[in-house]
C-alpha cells in the first residue's frame, strides 16, 4: 500500500473506502496511477469504453485507507445543443435560436464513458476530479459530477490541482484537495451558449441566403451546394484582422521621398550618419537642403554620448508566447504547436501548456529545475554556469504581470536528451521550452553604446556604434541576436570632411501582411479568444476558406472579403474585436464572481439578437458585397426563396420536409425540400405579410406532426370580418385559411398573366400545383370535401342560362357550353356573362369582356349583387350603385390592376361612389394607399411598395 499525505474529507478513520478518480485523458489517468501506486500492485481493467481503462490500487489519504479506481473521459463529456425541434436548419426562423430551448447531454459516441462512470460511482464514497486546471477543465469536472451524482448523491467530491505530471506535483495535489470552482464552470457555460446561439443564427442566415445564390470558385466550394458559410463570435473578428491589413496594403499608394546620407571613413572604420529629418516628400525642398550641405560640407561633432545598454531576457513562457515564438522561430502553426506541447505534457516533460501566467511564484524551486538540465549535451554547460555563484549569470525571472491563479508558466519538468517516440517537432518544442526557461532566469545581455551627433550646414545627422560586453542569456537563447557595430572614435567639437554625401530617393512601402505571430498578437491585445482557443479560431479561417496562408502570411479569400465587406456596409462592425472583447471581459467577471451568469447571458443575447434582426433587414448589403466578387448562380431551386421552418413531412414523396418559404416578391408558400425531384407545394393567400412556423401541432391533420403557422395578413387586403392575425394549419382542416385563399387568391407564380379577351380558359404553369394544393380543402359553401368551392352544386344556379348568354355575347351561337378555368379550375359561379333576369351585362373596365352578375355571400352584404369579370377576375361594382335598367353603362373611375387568382382593389364609380374603395367581395373601404397616399390603388399594388 502506498503512503499519502493530507487532503480529502469524510470517511476518516473507518475501513477502506472506494474512491473514484476521473482524469481528462486516458494518458493522464495512467500517469497519475503509476505515480501514486509506484507501479506496485497496479491493476488495469477495461471499462465500457475501449479507450478509457480503469486502474486500481491502494493509497492512503490523511490516514484514511482508500481503494483508488482511476478512469478518464475524453475532453468534454457533454455537448450543448438545441432541442430536436430546432436542430434542423429549416426547422425554424434563425432569430428563434436566440431563445430556443437548449440542453446539455452526453452524445452517442460517449455513452459508454457515461456508463463506466455510473457503474463505478455507485460503489464509491469519494469522487476526486483530476481535470485540467483551467475554466474548461472545471466545466468538464461539473459534467462528470452531474453524471456521477445522479446515481450516487452521497459522493464526497474533491478537486485535485496540478500543473505537471511529475511525482512532486501529483503527490502535492492529492495532499491538498479542494472544492471544484463552480464560477469557472459557469463562465464556460455562458461562452458555450453565447457561441452556440450567435454562431448558429448567423451561420444559417448566411448560408441559406448566399451559398446557392452565387457561383463560388472551386477552392471555396467543392461540391457547389453543401457549402457552410460559418460565423463565429471569435472567428469573424480574427478574419477582420486579416482583411483589414490586406485592405490597408491594397489601398497603399507608393509615394516617393528623398533623404540625405552621409558616411565617414577613417583608419578605425566607417561610420554611417543618418539624417535627423529622416526623409522629405518634397523633392525641391530636399534638393535645396542638400545643395546647402554640399556648399558647406564640413561636419562638426556636436555631441558624443557613451552609455550602457541592456537587452533583457524574455518573461516566463505563457501559451500565447509559446505559439508566437514557435511560429516565428520554428515555423510551426499555433495549432500544431499546441498539439506537440500537449504530447510533451502528457508524457511528463513540460508543465501544463495552457496558461496565461508569465510569472513564477516565490515558492517555486527554480534552481532545482535548472539543476535537472545540467546533463544535456547542448545546454547543460550553460545550466551549470547558472548554478555557479561566481559566474554571476543567475537572475530572478522578470514579472510579466499576468497570473491566471491556476498554472505556473510553461517550463520543463523532466530532463530528456530526446525520446525514441519523439518527432522532430517534439525535439524543437521541448528545446524551445527549456532554452526559454534558462533564458528567463539569466542576466540580460550587456553592451556599450556610443551615439555621435554632427552638424553639416545646420542639418543634424547621427550615428550609433555598439560593443557587446556580456552576452549572458543570449548564450543559451539562440533564437535572438544582438549585433555590435564599431564606429571611429569622435570627440566633441571635432570636424571632418564626409567621405560621401548623397541625396538618395526611396518609396514608401505598404504594411506587411500578417504572420501567425502577428495575428496572435492582435488577438491577444484585443481580448479575442483565450490561450486555449486562439489557434482554433485561426484554423477555422483556413478550413472555411475565408483566408489562405501563403509563405507564412495570411491573405483573405474573396469569400472572406465579401462577408466582411457586407457587414461593414451595414454599419455593424461585426468583424471588429470590440464586441467579442466585451463578451470575454464579461465571462471573466463571471469566473471571479463579479457578474452573474444569467445577467451576462441575457444582456449579450439581447444585444446580438437586435443586431441579427437588423443585419437580416439589410441583407441586400451582403448580396451587393458578394456580387463584387462572384457571379450570380441559377442553382437556387425555388427562385431564391428563404426558408422559415419545417411544417410537416412531405405527404407526396414521404422523404423530405415541407418548409415554409417566402419568395422574393413577398408571397408565401409551403414547398418540399426535395425539389426538383418532388414538386409538392401549397400556395398560401397572397395577402400574408408575415408567417412564422410555431411549435403548436395540429391535432386533426394526419400524418403528423403538422406544425401550425402564425399568419399576419395585410388588413386592407382581407374582408373586415376576418382577423389580421391567425394561427392556421395547412393540412386541410383550416376553414378560415381556405376561405381567404378563395377570396384573396394565392401567391402562385405567373400571377400577373391576363387571358385573351373573351376567352374562357386561361392556363397557368402552376395550375397543377394550385389545383393539388387547394383541391384537398373542404368547400366553403357546403363544408363538404370531394369538390372545391368553385364547383359546389349548391352554389351553381341558372348555369345554363349564364352559359347561353356567354355564347351569345361572343357570337358563338346558341347552346355553346363554355366555362372558365383559372389555374386549371372550373368556375361556374363566375360564368354570368350574359343577361340575368332580363338585366344586361356590362363590359369589364380592365379587359372589356362581358361581366357576370353575382350574388355576395359575405356577412355584411348578404344577397347583394355585383358585377365581376370572368376573364380577369376584376370587380366592376355593385349592381345597385350602377345605372340600372336595360343597358348598363360601363362604370367610370375603375382602374384595373387585377392578378389572376388574387384580389382586385378598385375605386368605385358612378352614382356618388367616386373615390370609394371596395374589397375583393365588394365591401366598401374608405381611405387611400397608406404608402403613397394615391386614392387610385391600395398599398398591395403600389408601385412604391418595397422601396
Amino acid at each position: 500500500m502506498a503512503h499519502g499525505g493530507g487532503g480529502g474529507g469524510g470517511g476518516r478513520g473507518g475501513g477502506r473506502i472506494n474512491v473514484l478518480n476521473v482524469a481528462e485523458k486516458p494518458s493522464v489517468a495512467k500517469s497519475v496511477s503509476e505515480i501514486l501506486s509506484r507501479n506496485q500492485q497496479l491493476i488495469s481493467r477495461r471499462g465500457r469504453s475501449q479507450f478509457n481503462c480503469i486502474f486500481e490500487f491502494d493509497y492512503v489519504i490523511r490516514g484514511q485507507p482508500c481503494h483508488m479506481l482511476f478512469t478518464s473521459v475524453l475532453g468534454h463529456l457533454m455537448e450543448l445543443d438545441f432541442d430536436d425541434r430546432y436542430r434542423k436548419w429549416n426547422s425554424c426562423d434563425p432569430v428563434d435560436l436566440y431563445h430556443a430551448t437548449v440542453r446539455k447531454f452526453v452524445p452517442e459516441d460517449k455513452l459508454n464513458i457515461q456508463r463506466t462512470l455510473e457503474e463505478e460511482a455507485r460503489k464509491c464514497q469519494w469522487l476526486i476530479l483530476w481535470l485540467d486546471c483551467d475554466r474548461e477543465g472545471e466545466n468538464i469536472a461539473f459534467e462528470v459530477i452531474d453524471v456521477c451524482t445522479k446515481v450516487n448523491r452521497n459522493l464526497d467530491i474533491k478537486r485535485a490541482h496540478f500543473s505537471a505530471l511529475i511525482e512532486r506535483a501529483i503527490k502535492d495535489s492529492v495532499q491538498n484537495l479542494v472544492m471544484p470552482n463552480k464560477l469557472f464552470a459557469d463562465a464556460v457555460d455562458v461562452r458555450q451558449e453565447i457561441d452556440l446561439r450567435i454562431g448558429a443564427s448567423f451561420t444559417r442566415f448566411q448560408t441559406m441566403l448566399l451559398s446557392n445564390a452565387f457561383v463560388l470558385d472551386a477552392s471555396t466550394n467543392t461540391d457547389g451546394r453543401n457549402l457552410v458559410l460559418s460565423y463565429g463570435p471569435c472567428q469573424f473578428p480574427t478574419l477582420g484582422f486579416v482583411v483589414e491589413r490586406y485592405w490597408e496594403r491594397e489601398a497603399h499608394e507608393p509615394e516617393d521621398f528623398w533623404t540625405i546620407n552621409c558616411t565617414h571613413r577613417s583608419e578605425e572604420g566607417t561610420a554611417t550618419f543618418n539624417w535627423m529629418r529622416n526623409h522629405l516628400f518634397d523633392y525641391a525642398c530636399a534638393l535645396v537642403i542638400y545643395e546647402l550641405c554640399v556648399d558647406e560640407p564640413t561636419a562638426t561633432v556636436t555631441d558624443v554620448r557613451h552609455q550602457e545598454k541592456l537587452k533583457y531576457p524574455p518573461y516566463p513562457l505563457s501559451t500565447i508566447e509559446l505559439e508566437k515564438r514557435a511560429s516565428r522561430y520554428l515555423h510551426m502553426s499555433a495549432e500544431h504547436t499546441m498539439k506537440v506541447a500537449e504530447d510533451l505534457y502528457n508524457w511528463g516533460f513540460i508543465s501544463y501548456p495552457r496558461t496565461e501566467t508569465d510569472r513564477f511564484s516565490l515558492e517555486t524551486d527554480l534552481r532545482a529545475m535548472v539543476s535537472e538540465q545540467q546533463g544535456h549535451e547542448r545546454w547543460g554547460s550553460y545550466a551549470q554556469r547558472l548554478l555557479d555563484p561566481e559566474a554571476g549569470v543567475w537572475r530572478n525571472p522578470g514579472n510579466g504581470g499576468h497570473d491566471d491563479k491556476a498554472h505556473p508558466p510553461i517550463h520543463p519538468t523532466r530532463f530528456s536528451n530526446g525520446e525514441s517516440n519523439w518527432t522532430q517537432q517534439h525535439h524543437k518544442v521541448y528545446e524551445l521550452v527549456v532554452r526559454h526557461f534558462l533564458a528567463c532566469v539569466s542576466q540580460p545581455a550587456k553592451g556599450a553604446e556610443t551615439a555621435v551627433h554632427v552638424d553639416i550646414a545646420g542639418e543634424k545627422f547621427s550615428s550609433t556604434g555598439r560593443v557587446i560586453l556580456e552576452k549572458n542569456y543570449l548564450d543559451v537563447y539562440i533564437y535572438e541576436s544582438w549585433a555590435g557595430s564599431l564606429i571611429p572614435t569622435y570627440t566633441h567639437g571635432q570636424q571632418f570632411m564626409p567621405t560621401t554625401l548623397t541625396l538618395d530617393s526611396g518609396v514608401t512601402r505598404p504594411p506587411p501582411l500578417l504572420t501567425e505571430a502577428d495575428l496572435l498578437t492582435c488577438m491577444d491585445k484585443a481580448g479575442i479568444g483565450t490561450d486555449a482557443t486562439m489557434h482554433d479560431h485561426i484554423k477555422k479561417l483556413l478550413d472555411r476558406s475565408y483566408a489562405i496562408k501563403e509563405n507564412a502570411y495570411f491573405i483573405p479569400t474573396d469569400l472572406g472579403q465579401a462577408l466582411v465587406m457586407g457587414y461593414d456596409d451595414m454599419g455593424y462592425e461585426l468583424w471588429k474585436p470590440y464586441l467579442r472583447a466585451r463578451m470575454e471581459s464579461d465571462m471573466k467577471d463571471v469566473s471571479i464572481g463579479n457578474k452573474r451568469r444569467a445577467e451576462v447571458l441575457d444582456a449579450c443575447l439581447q444585444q446580438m439578437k437586435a443586431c441579427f434582426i437588423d443585419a437580416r433587414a439589410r441583407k441586400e448589403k451582403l448580396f451587393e458585397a458578394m456580387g463584387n466578387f462572384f457571379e450570380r448562380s441559377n442553382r437556387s431551386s425555388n427562385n431564391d426563396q428563404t426558408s422559415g421552418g419545417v411544417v410537416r413531412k412531405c405527404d407526396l414523396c414521404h422523404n423530405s420536409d415541407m418548409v415554409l418559404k417566402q419568395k422574393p416578391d413577398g408571397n408565401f408558400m409551403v414547398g418540399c425540400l426535395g425539389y426538383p425531384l418532388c414538386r409538392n407545394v401549397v400556395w398560401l393567400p397572397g395577402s400574408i405579410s408575415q408567417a412564422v412556423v410555431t411549435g403548436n401541432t395540429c391535432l386533426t391533420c394526419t400524418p403528423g406532426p403538422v406544425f401550425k403557422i402564425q399568419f399576419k395578413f395585410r388588413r386592407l387586403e382581407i374582408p373586415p370580418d376576418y382577423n389580421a392575425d391567425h394561427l392556421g394549419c395547412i393540412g386541410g382542416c383550416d376553414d378560415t385559411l381556405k376561405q381567404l385563399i378563395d377570396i384573396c387568391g394565392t401567391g402562385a407564380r405567373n400571377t400577373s398573366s391576363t387571358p385573351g379577351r373573351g376567352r374562357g380558359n386561361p392556363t397557368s404553369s402552376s395550375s397543377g400545383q394550385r389545383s393539388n394544393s387547394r383541391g384537398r380543402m373542404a368547400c366553403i359553401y357546403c363544408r363538404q370535401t370531394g369538390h372545391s368551392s368553385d364547383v359546389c352544386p349548391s352554389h351553381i344556379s341558372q348555369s345554363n342560362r349564364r352559359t347561353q348568354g356567354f355564347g351569345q355575347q361572343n357570337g358563338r351561337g346558341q347552346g355553346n357550353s363554355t366555362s372558365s378555368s383559372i389555374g386549371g379550375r372550373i368556375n361556374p359561379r363566375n360564368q354570368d356573362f350574359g343577361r340575368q333576369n332580363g338585366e344586361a351585362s356590362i363590359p369589364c373596365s380592365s379587359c372589356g369582356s362581358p361581366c357576370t352578375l353575382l350574388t355576395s355571400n359575405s356577412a355584411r352584404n348578404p344577397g347583394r349583387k355585383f358585377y365581376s369579370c370572368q376573364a380577369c377576375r376584376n370587380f366592376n361594382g355593385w349592381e345597385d350603385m350602377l345605372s340600372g335598367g336595360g343597358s348598363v353603362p360601363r362604370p367610370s373611375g375603375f382602374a384595373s390592376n387585377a392578378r389572376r387568382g388574387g384580389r382586385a382593389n378598385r375605386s368605385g364609380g358612378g352614382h356618388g361612389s367616386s373615390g370609394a374603395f371596395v374589397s375583393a367581395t365588394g365591401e366598401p373601404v374608405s381611405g387611400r394607399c397608406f404608402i403613397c397616399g394615391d386614392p387610385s390603388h391600395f398599398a398591395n399594388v403600389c408601385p412604391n411598395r418595397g422601396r
Side-chain angles (χ1 to χ4, degrees):
M1 181 180 295
H3 298 283
R12 183 185 306 173
R16 189 179 71 166
I17 63 172
N18 291 329
V19 180
L20 176 59
N21 299 264
V22 182
E24 191 164 323
K25 306 175 188 68
S27 59
V28 175
K30 184 175 184 294
S31 297
V32 175
S33 297
E34 290 174 348
I35 291 172
L36 293 181
S37 68
R38 297 180 180 175
N39 275 324
Q40 297 177 6
Q41 297 181 344
L42 178 63
I43 301 172
S44 173
R45 60 183 171 88
R46 294 188 63 175
R48 292 274 189 166
S49 169
Q50 60 176 327
F51 305 108
N52 304 84
C53 294
I54 303 169
F55 301 93
E56 297 189 46
F57 57 94
D58 291 332
Y59 198 72
V60 176
I61 301 177
R62 280 193 175 179
Q64 173 64 59
C66 301
H67 182 65
M68 308 285 274
L69 299 130
F70 220 120
T71 188
S72 60
V73 291
L74 294 171
H76 275 283
L77 179 62
M78 296 182 176
E79 291 181 0
L80 183 72
D81 207 343
F82 298 104
D83 277 352
D84 293 341
R85 170 73 179 85
Y86 300 95
R87 293 180 72 175
K88 289 185 178 180
W89 276 42
N90 293 306
S91 62
C92 67
D93 187 329
V95 75
D96 294 341
L97 299 178
Y98 285 92
H99 54 76
T101 305
V102 295
R103 62 190 181 94
K104 212 169 185 180
F105 62 96
V106 178
E108 186 76 24
D109 60 340
K110 294 185 178 180
L111 287 178
N112 283 334
I113 299 177
Q114 177 186 4
R115 295 187 185 104
T116 297
L117 295 176
E118 291 172 342
E119 290 174 359
E120 302 304 323
R122 286 190 179 96
K123 54 191 178 187
C124 292
Q125 290 79 48
W126 288 6
L127 172 63
I128 300 180
L129 302 158
W130 296 80
L131 289 309
D132 291 346
C133 301
D134 55 8
R135 292 186 204 168
E136 212 73 32
E138 213 70 25
N139 190 264
I140 300 172
F142 277 89
E143 293 173 357
V144 173
I145 291 173
D146 183 64
V147 168
C148 293
T149 53
K150 282 183 178 178
V151 297
N152 186 350
R153 296 186 177 182
N154 298 318
L155 283 171
D156 190 358
I157 301 169
K158 297 296 180 183
R159 180 76 158 91
H161 274 195
F162 61 101
S163 295
L165 291 173
I166 57 177
E167 184 174 354
R168 180 179 65 252
I170 295 301
K171 289 189 173 180
D172 180 68
S173 65
V174 81
Q175 293 171 1
N176 295 278
L177 299 175
V178 296
M179 294 297 295
N181 190 332
K182 188 65 167 65
L183 294 177
F184 273 24
D186 285 346
V188 175
D189 283 336
V190 170
R191 177 184 57 77
Q192 287 180 342
E193 187 167 344
I194 287 175
D195 289 354
L196 173 65
R197 294 185 186 276
I198 296 175
S201 61
F202 273 94
T203 297
R204 294 185 189 184
F205 162 62
Q206 291 178 171
T207 303
M208 292 190 292
L209 181 69
L210 303 173
S211 63
N212 284 330
F214 295 90
V215 179
L216 304 179
D217 56 68
S219 62
T220 301
N221 185 22
T222 56
D223 59 12
R225 295 189 63 84
N226 297 321
L227 178 67
V228 174
L229 303 181
S230 71
Y231 177 94
C234 285
Q235 173 190 334
F236 243 62
T238 304
L239 173 63
F241 290 125
V242 176
V243 173
E244 188 171 34
R245 175 58 62 88
Y246 180 79
W247 284 349
E248 289 175 358
R249 185 176 175 85
E250 290 294 300
H252 174 77
E253 294 189 9
E255 189 174 0
D256 293 331
F257 63 81
W258 288 264
T259 185
I260 301 175
N261 291 315
C262 172
T263 64
H264 178 234
R265 185 181 301 113
S266 70
E267 295 179 354
E268 297 179 82
T270 301
T272 299
F273 289 87
N274 298 312
W275 193 19
M276 298 294 284
R277 293 181 187 266
N278 194 4
H279 56 250
L280 292 178
F281 292 100
D282 189 317
Y283 173 72
C285 184
L287 181 61
V288 168
I289 295 174
Y290 173 68
E291 288 177 343
L292 291 174
C293 292
V294 172
D295 290 341
E296 299 180 15
T298 302
T300 303
V301 178
T302 59
D303 188 25
V304 179
R305 295 181 184 178
H306 303 283
Q307 58 184 341
E308 182 183 66
K309 281 290 184 178
L310 301 177
K311 183 175 178 63
Y312 285 93
Y315 291 123
L317 192 60
S318 64
T319 301
I320 299 302
E321 283 300 316
L322 173 62
E323 293 174 341
K324 288 162 58 176
R325 291 172 187 261
S327 174
R328 188 179 298 122
Y329 303 149
L330 309 180
H331 307 293
M332 293 174 58
S333 69
E335 179 199 14
H336 193 196
T337 298
M338 292 310 299
K339 183 180 183 304
V340 172
E342 287 279 357
D343 290 341
L344 294 173
Y345 163 69
N346 290 331
W347 297 333
F349 292 99
I350 66 172
S351 61
Y352 188 60
R354 300 183 188 275
T355 176
E356 299 175 7
T357 304
D358 53 11
R359 56 181 293 185
F360 283 106
S361 67
L362 298 177
E363 294 77 22
T364 306
D365 191 348
L366 300 174
R367 293 183 182 273
M369 298 180 193
V370 174
S371 180
E372 292 180 352
Q373 300 296 327
Q374 292 183 88
H376 200 279
E377 57 185 13
R378 292 201 298 277
W379 56 76
S381 58
Y382 186 82
Q384 294 172 13
R385 283 178 57 198
L386 277 173
L387 297 175
D388 183 2
E390 296 182 1
V393 182
W394 181 276
R395 170 179 172 270
N396 289 330
N399 181 352
H402 302 92
D403 190 350
D404 60 15
K405 307 296 183 182
H407 297 285
I410 304 169
H411 61 273
T413 55
R414 189 194 307 177
F415 170 81
S416 177
N417 268 315
E419 307 300 313
S420 59
N421 62 330
W422 284 14
T423 65
Q424 186 178 6
Q425 285 71 31
H426 289 96
H427 284 278
K428 288 182 177 180
V429 173
Y430 179 74
E431 180 176 356
L432 174 60
V433 171
V434 175
R435 288 187 182 275
H436 192 101
F437 168 69
L438 296 177
C440 75
V441 294
S442 301
Q443 290 287 349
K446 296 179 181 179
E449 190 171 278
T450 300
V452 179
H453 294 261
V454 300
D455 182 289
I456 303 176
E459 291 299 308
K460 308 298 182 184
F461 297 82
S462 66
S463 180
T464 301
R466 184 187 303 118
V467 176
I468 307 301
L469 303 177
E470 299 177 21
K471 294 186 69 175
N472 293 329
Y473 89 92
L474 291 175
D475 284 331
V476 70
Y477 208 59
I478 60 177
Y479 314 105
E480 293 182 359
S481 61
W482 199 29
S485 57
L486 297 176
I487 62 173
T489 302
Y490 296 95
T491 58
H492 186 274
Q494 176 184 345
Q495 292 186 330
F496 61 86
M497 188 64 65
T499 304
T500 63
L501 187 62
T502 59
L503 178 63
D504 299 318
S505 64
V507 63
T508 57
R509 297 181 179 274
L513 295 170
L514 296 178
T515 64
E516 188 154 7
D518 298 330
L519 188 52
L520 287 166
T521 300
C522 293
M523 297 171 69
D524 187 32
K525 287 182 178 179
I528 300 299
T530 64
D531 58 314
T533 61
M534 286 187 187
H535 65 279
D536 288 329
H537 304 317
I538 295 175
K539 181 177 182 294
K540 285 181 180 178
L541 297 187
L542 304 176
D543 291 344
R544 298 299 188 188
S545 298
Y546 291 166
I548 60 174
K549 195 174 182 181
E550 192 173 279
N551 297 326
Y553 293 98
F554 285 93
I555 303 174
T557 63
D558 288 347
L559 180 59
Q561 291 186 73
L563 292 175
V564 170
M565 183 182 296
Y567 286 114
D568 188 56
D569 289 345
M570 290 179 187
Y572 274 106
E573 295 184 329
L574 296 177
W575 56 282
K576 289 287 190 179
Y578 318 125
L579 190 61
R580 183 60 185 194
R582 288 196 296 270
M583 293 182 193
E584 295 284 359
S585 177
D586 286 342
M587 286 179 244
K588 186 172 183 179
D589 286 338
V590 172
S591 70
I592 59 179
N594 288 346
K595 290 185 178 180
R596 293 182 295 107
R597 166 182 170 175
E599 171 191 356
V600 170
L601 194 60
D602 291 345
C604 177
L605 292 180
Q606 184 177 0
Q607 179 186 26
M608 287 305 299
K609 180 180 179 181
C611 181
F612 174 84
I613 292 173
D614 197 51
R616 187 169 62 176
R618 303 184 185 187
K619 61 186 178 184
E620 69 277 358
K621 297 296 184 182
L622 278 174
F623 271 102
E624 292 172 4
M626 290 288 287
N628 291 330
F629 297 91
F630 304 103
E631 294 181 2
R632 288 300 299 265
S633 168
N634 60 359
R635 288 196 307 265
S636 181
S637 61
N638 286 311
N639 196 23
D640 291 331
Q641 294 160 347
T642 56
S643 300
V646 172
V647 179
R648 68 180 304 176
K649 202 75 173 176
C650 180
D651 53 345
L652 184 61
C653 69
H654 303 290
N655 290 323
S656 302
D657 290 328
M658 296 285 286
V659 180
L660 174 67
K661 297 183 178 182
Q662 185 178 16
K663 296 175 61 184
D665 63 5
N667 290 311
F668 287 86
M669 57 174 281
V670 177
C672 181
L673 287 177
Y675 182 93
L677 297 178
C678 178
R679 296 176 178 266
N680 191 15
V681 64
V682 177
W683 294 104
L684 298 173
S687 54
I688 297 173
S689 63
Q690 296 178 23
V692 178
V693 179
T694 69
N696 301 320
T697 58
C698 179
L699 302 179
T700 304
C701 296
T702 57
V706 179
F707 292 98
K708 292 187 176 182
I709 302 174
Q710 182 65 54
F711 295 103
K712 187 174 184 63
F713 296 94
R714 288 183 282 272
R715 176 71 272 173
L716 293 179
E717 297 186 23
I718 62 173
D721 50 342
Y722 286 86
N723 290 327
D725 296 295
H726 175 64
L727 181 64
C729 173
I730 59 94
C733 68
D734 193 330
D735 291 338
T736 299
L737 195 60
K738 287 183 285 188
Q739 292 170 23
L740 287 175
I741 288 176
D742 234 51
I743 293 170
C744 303
T746 67
R749 280 172 274 180
N750 301 324
T751 55
S752 61
S753 61
T754 303
R757 179 175 297 185
R759 307 289 295 180
N761 294 289
T763 59
S764 168
S765 62
S766 60
S767 61
Q769 295 170 2
R770 292 174 59 187
S771 178
N772 289 341
S773 64
R774 296 179 59 182
R776 294 189 295 270
M777 297 183 179
C779 174
I780 65 172
Y781 301 116
C782 65
R783 301 292 187 253
Q784 300 297 315
T785 58
H787 63 270
S788 72
S789 56
D790 304 321
V791 293
C792 177
S794 64
H795 193 68
I796 302 176
S797 62
Q798 302 174 333
S799 59
N800 291 334
R801 278 182 295 163
R802 297 176 186 175
T803 304
Q804 184 179 11
F806 173 81
Q808 292 172 342
Q809 188 72 17
N810 287 279
R812 295 189 178 184
Q814 295 285 346
N816 259 355
S817 178
T818 307
S819 62
S820 170
S821 171
I822 297 181
R825 296 177 293 128
I826 305 300
N827 293 275
R829 68 185 179 94
N830 286 340
Q831 295 178 8
D832 205 358
F833 280 78
R835 298 174 181 272
Q836 180 174 335
N837 296 325
E839 296 176 339
S841 175
I842 66 171
C844 175
S845 61
S846 175
C847 66
S849 299
C851 293
T852 305
L853 184 62
L854 302 177
T855 302
S856 171
N857 65 337
S858 66
R860 290 195 177 186
N861 295 281
R864 192 178 182 188
K865 295 183 179 182
F866 63 94
Y867 287 98
S868 178
C869 178
Q870 150 66 16
C872 66
R873 297 294 297 273
N874 184 24
F875 175 82
N876 281 264
W878 296 105
E879 180 201 24
D880 56 14
M881 295 176 65
L882 302 175
S883 48
S887 175
V888 182
R890 177 174 176 173
S892 62
F894 277 76
S896 175
N897 194 19
R899 63 184 180 187
R900 182 157 46 113
R903 64 177 290 274
N905 293 319
R906 304 288 176 265
S907 58
H911 291 260
S913 63
S914 177
F917 287 82
V918 292
S919 71
T921 55
E923 297 288 343
V925 180
S926 62
R928 58 182 64 195
C929 174
F930 63 83
I931 294 179
C932 67
D934 190 337
S936 66
H937 62 262
F938 282 118
N940 72 304
V941 292
C942 179
N944 296 318
R945 181 182 177 188
R947 293 185 181 177

